[in-house]
Amino acid sequence: MDYQLASTFLDSAEDSIIITEGHPLRGEGPKIIYVNQAFVSLMGYTKEEIIGKTPRILQGEETSTEERQRIYEALSEQKYVRSEIVNYTKSGVKMWMELSISPILDKDKVVKYFVSIQKNITKRKEEEQLLKDTLTKLKHKVAMLDQINLSAAHDFKEPIRSIHSFTQLLERKLPDSVRGDVGEYLGYIQSGAERLDAYINGLYAYSFTSSVQAIRETSLESVVNDAILNLQT
């Protein structure tokens, strides 16, 4: 395949393609000898401006040093490497790029070229970051709700304890002459306060329960009896 035909073929690709020399890897790195039209359209450099430079010209403040080192180590071992890294357009716009870099060896198994296919994944990265930020906010809100639940449970239970205590105190002080009906009514009040206290405990425990629980058989008798008791009026 001649150069003109190869260039025409690569220029029709949707993803950016960069071809560099196979050396040197140290310093600024190997020089660019070819870019396709998709690269020109995406990064804003003309072919004349970028050829003869190194891929380092695309990197900037937020380009990961650790990721650059990982790429360097893979290429030093003549290995294919895939990376997600920050590059910058000619006008300084930050872009997340997915790089797939392959070494091209000559007949002596020496690297002659590196071919890098680059896909713009900026939108995906922004969506991932938005999801992470949303999850962080949700965790914060859940923590706040847990604290509110704890405070609310304490605040609700305090007057219930008072009702229970004072009805017991009243019952002890009732004269025998009125203990019958009044005692029965106080018993209803105490029973209601105890059930309300149990409901608050149950709701509080439920708020900290995982949605995934083991399924097991259980008797509904006590549940139905409680329901009937609540509806007895």
Side-chain angles (χ1 to χ4, degrees), residues 44-185:
Y45 291 95
T46 65
K47 293 186 178 183
E48 292 74 21
E49 288 174 323
I50 201 70
I51 290 174
K53 302 295 192 300
T54 74
R56 191 67 63 85
I57 195 175
L58 305 174
Q59 299 169 359
E61 180 181 0
E62 295 187 45
T63 304
S64 169
T65 302
E66 292 78 10
E67 196 63 13
R68 285 195 325 207
Q69 180 63 25
R70 191 178 73 83
I71 294 171
Y72 167 78
E73 290 173 358
L75 298 184
S76 297
E77 298 174 7
Q78 300 184 1
K79 293 180 179 178
Y80 164 85
V81 62
R82 180 184 171 280
S83 172
E84 294 181 358
I85 198 167
V86 171
N87 278 347
Y88 292 84
T89 67
K90 180 182 177 181
S91 61
V93 176
K94 170 186 168 182
M95 284 191 175
W96 273 98
M97 305 298 291
E98 179 185 272
L99 312 182
S100 298
I101 308 174
S102 301
I104 306 298
L105 310 182
D106 62 17
K107 59 182 178 60
D108 297 319
K109 295 186 177 180
V110 175
V111 178
K112 190 169 185 179
Y113 307 110
F114 289 108
V115 177
S116 175
I117 300 175
Q118 309 192 12
K119 184 186 296 289
N120 181 8
I121 58 169
T122 303
K123 184 177 180 180
R124 191 191 84 195
K125 282 291 187 178
E126 289 173 347
E127 290 172 348
E128 288 176 356
Q129 188 59 50
L130 179 61
L131 180 59
K132 289 179 182 177
D133 292 342
T134 301
L135 288 175
T136 299
K137 291 178 181 177
L138 283 174
K139 288 179 180 178
H140 178 66
K141 288 184 177 180
V142 167
M144 289 180 61
L145 286 173
D146 288 345
Q147 187 59 44
I148 291 171
N149 285 341
L150 180 62
S151 299
H154 178 271
D155 291 344
F156 286 145
K157 286 165 71 69
E158 185 58 35
I160 293 172
R161 282 193 291 266
S162 296
I163 292 171
H164 192 268
S165 297
F166 280 106
T167 51
Q168 285 183 323
L169 184 61
L170 280 172
E171 189 175 22
R172 286 198 297 268
K173 290 182 175 295
L174 283 176
D176 293 339
S177 59
V178 296
R179 183 174 294 275
D181 289 344
V182 175
E184 182 181 356
Y185 299 152

